[in-house]
């Protein structure tokens, strides 16, 4: 059997976080009762006229700048004609030959760049609900503004597809144009897949898998579709150009309809909307609004702060966590200490992705900075700092209200030696285990010292002293 290569390109639809729809004043709020966020314009009643939401254009330009796109100085809206129950006008207002943004890219960890062909704005369709043989339509989503981000067929593996979407999702969250909640349909992908024998240049016939709104489902659908197409080719059958959907119940894709080409949509200019002109001054104004992007933060954390790659990636993954860390790190000699407390201690309080995204930390970034400054000054030992941080997170109180000057004074050398000797005398079994080669027994003894000093002792100093005193007993 010949070896085959996967070739994929993605069309990613992202709902923009505007308060109102793209062509009317209806709210874009998620979760309302069906068909309550609608008006004559977004349900396509005859005689209504659209009016373009300016914020949609600004968000799209921002998305283009964040993904290295060129911005078209003159773009226009077009009618994409097709008949489907979720589209009451029987056409969608989109962009065809003059999109707002074009020729961009996103770089993967490998250094490979996934080229972005275009980013255009369009209106979302309604939602079809299938229930026991009946089909219902909810037009609340109809007219919600979308950007569609289309790549070149540069993706060669499922891992590359997932990494591309994850990076795209993170960028859009950072710049604030969308919440990108896949579970709510704010980000969904159409995956175009073909296969070809390895080493060949000619593309195979592609199939499109519609509306992937989960990384897990996207990965499973791509694997199934790759295997399906390889089986067809090996059996001497032809792959048909078509649109398919993923069935999560059995992990398969199934045919929906023949795949349309551009000519099938009979695009023509939208006569009710004027051209969109974006001058250089406006572009630079929007560029100035861009925050530090995720890959830029990651690079700064690793090269500037010396954070381990894994920690830098975790902090960067959540915009609010990154902002919290940046604030806490101001003026610190070693921001790595703050990062360790966030990733190693605070993250345990936020087990889910949603909780980390929200990041309702009990202590402010300024309070965390005060704690770390005391650690850096030597006034607060790390073990006491950690227990104090737990109290800060529980109460919201600053370290100054939870730790006294006496606590920060630590334990003098003479007193520490006396406590260590007492702990050794009270724990002969642990001492015997250590002498017998069980090095981990020292941790039990160290725990006794820390308990006796209420965490005020220097843990490294105490452990060194315990080892010295035990060795003197040999």
């Amino acid at each position: 059997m010949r070896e085959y290569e996967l070739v994929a390109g993605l069309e990613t639809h992202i709902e923009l976080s505007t308060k109102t729809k793209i062509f009317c004043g209806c709210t874009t709020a998620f979760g309302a009762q069906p068909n309550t966020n609608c008006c004559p314009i977004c349900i396509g009643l005859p005689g209504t006229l659209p009016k373009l939401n300016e914020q949609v254009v600004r968000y799209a330009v921002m998305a283009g700048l964040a993904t290295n796109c060129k911005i078209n100085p003159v773009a226009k809206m077009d009618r994409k004609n097709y008949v489907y129950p979720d589209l009451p006008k029987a056409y969608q207002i989109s962009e065809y030959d003059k999109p707002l943004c074009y020729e961009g890219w996103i770089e993967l960890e490998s250094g490979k760049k996934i080229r972005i062909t275009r980013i255009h704005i369009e209106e979302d369709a309604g939602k079809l609900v299938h229930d026991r043989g009946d089909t219902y339509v909810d037009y609340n989503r109809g007219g919600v503004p979308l950007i569609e981000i289309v790549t070149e067929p540069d993706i060669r593996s499922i891992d590359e597809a997932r990494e591309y979407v994850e990076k795209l999702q993170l960028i859009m969250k950072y710049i604030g144009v969308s919440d990108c909640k896949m579970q709510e349909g704010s980000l969904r992908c159409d995956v175009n897949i073909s296969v070809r024998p390895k080493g060949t240049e000619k593309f195979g016939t592609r199939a499109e898998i519609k509306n992937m709104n989960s990384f897990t489902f996207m990965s499973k659908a791509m694997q199934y579709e790759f295997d399906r197409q390889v089986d067809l080719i090996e059996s001497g059958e032809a792959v048909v150009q078509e649109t398919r959907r993923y069935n999560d119940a059995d992990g398969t894709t199934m045919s929906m309809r023949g795949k349309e080409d551009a000519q099938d949509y009979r695009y023509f200019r939208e006569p009710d909307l004027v051209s969109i002109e974006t001058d250089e001054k406006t572009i630079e104004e929007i560029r100035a609004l861009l925050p530090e992007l995720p890959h830029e933060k990651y690079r700064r954390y690793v090269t500037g702060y010396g954070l381990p790659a894994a920690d830098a990636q975790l902090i960067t993954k959540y915009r609010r966590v990154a902002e919290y860390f940046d604030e806490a790190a101001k003026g610190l000699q070693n921001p790595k200490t703050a990062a360790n407390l966030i990733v190693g201690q605070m993250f345990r309080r936020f087990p889910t992705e949603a909780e980390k995204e929200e990041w309702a930390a009990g202590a402010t970034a300024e309070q965390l900075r005060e704690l770390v400054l005391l650690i850096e000054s030597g006034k607060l030992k790390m073990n006491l700092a950690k227990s104090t941080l737990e109290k800060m997170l529980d109460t919201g109180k600053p370290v100054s209200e939870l730790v006294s000057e006496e606590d920060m004074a630590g334990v003098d050398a003479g007193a520490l030696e006396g406590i260590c000797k007492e702990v050794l005398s009270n724990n002969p079994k642990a001492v015997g285990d250590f002498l017998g080669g069980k090095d981990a027994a020292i941790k039990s003894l160290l725990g006794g010292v820390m308990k006796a000093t209420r965490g005020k002792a220097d843990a490294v100093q105490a452990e060194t002293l315990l080892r010295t005193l035990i060795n003197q007993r040999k």
Side-chain angles (χ1 to χ4, degrees), residues 196-255:
R196 65 185 178 189
K198 278 194 174 178
T200 62
E201 294 297 321
K202 184 179 178 182
F203 290 137
T205 302
R206 64 190 172 99
E208 180 185 39
I209 311 170
K210 294 289 286 185
N211 291 329
M212 296 281 92
N213 65 350
S214 151
F215 288 118
T216 300
F217 291 165
M218 183 179 76
S219 299
K220 290 180 177 179
M222 290 182 71
Q223 185 63 59
Y224 177 85
E225 187 59 24
F226 175 78
D227 294 339
R228 185 187 74 86
Q229 292 189 24
V230 169
D231 287 344
L232 285 173
I233 295 169
E234 285 293 308
S235 302
E237 298 179 51
V239 176
V240 177
Q241 181 171 311
E242 62 182 346
T243 298
R244 301 177 69 85
R245 68 179 180 87
Y246 177 68
N247 185 350
D248 59 359
D250 59 8
T252 64
T253 66
M254 58 184 65
S255 181

Side-chain angles (χ1 to χ4, degrees), residues 360-373:
T364 66
E366 293 79 4
Q367 289 172 338
L368 179 63
R369 187 195 312 127
E370 291 170 5
L371 181 73
V372 176
L373 285 171

Side-chain angles (χ1 to χ4, degrees), residues 69-93:
C69 287
K70 299 173 184 176
I71 308 303
N72 217 330
V74 180
K76 67 179 178 67
M77 305 302 297
D78 298 278
R79 288 189 183 182
K80 180 180 181 181
N81 296 274
Y82 66 95
V83 178
Y84 208 63
D86 59 7
L87 199 64
K89 296 191 296 285
Y91 63 85
Q92 178 188 37
I93 302 178

Side-chain angles (χ1 to χ4, degrees), residues 96 260-267:
Y96 178 46
E260 300 89 346
D261 285 318
Q263 64 268 21
D264 297 319
Y265 291 120
R266 305 185 318 283
Y267 282 101

Side-chain angles (χ1 to χ4, degrees), residues 316-329:
T316 306
K317 185 177 179 182
Y318 310 99
R319 179 178 175 177
R320 290 186 178 179
V321 176
E323 290 171 346
Y324 183 92
F325 170 64
D326 281 337
E327 185 63 29

Side-chain angles (χ1 to χ4, degrees), residues 13-18 28-30 59 144-145 168-188 317 319-320 357-358:
H13 297 83
I14 295 174
E15 288 187 356
L16 299 178
S17 296
T18 56
T28 57
F30 179 79
Y59 275 170
V144 169
L168 183 64
Q169 181 187 49
L170 192 56
I171 290 169
M172 295 302 126
K173 285 181 179 179
Y174 260 68
I175 65 176
V177 303
S178 176
D179 59 23
C180 290
K181 292 180 179 178
M182 297 183 81
Q183 70 276 16
E184 293 182 5
S186 297
L187 184 153
R188 51 193 192 272
K317 185 177 179 182
R319 179 178 175 177
R320 290 186 178 179
E357 292 278 2
E358 186 66 26

Side-chain angles (χ1 to χ4, degrees), residues 299-340:
R299 192 180 303 121
R300 176 166 61 86
Y301 292 165
V302 173
T303 60
Y305 289 167
L307 265 59
D311 287 357
Q313 195 167 33
L314 272 174
I315 291 174
T316 306
K317 185 177 179 182
Y318 310 99
R319 179 178 175 177
R320 290 186 178 179
V321 176
E323 290 171 346
Y324 183 92
F325 170 64
D326 281 337
E327 185 63 29
K330 288 178 181 177
L332 297 182
Q333 297 173 22
N334 187 8
K336 192 175 176 182
T337 304
N340 288 341

Side-chain angles (χ1 to χ4, degrees), residues 410-427:
V411 181
D412 66 55
L416 181 60
E417 182 174 352
I419 291 169
C420 287
K421 286 179 178 179
E422 184 178 350
V423 168
L424 293 176
S425 297
N426 293 337
N427 296 275

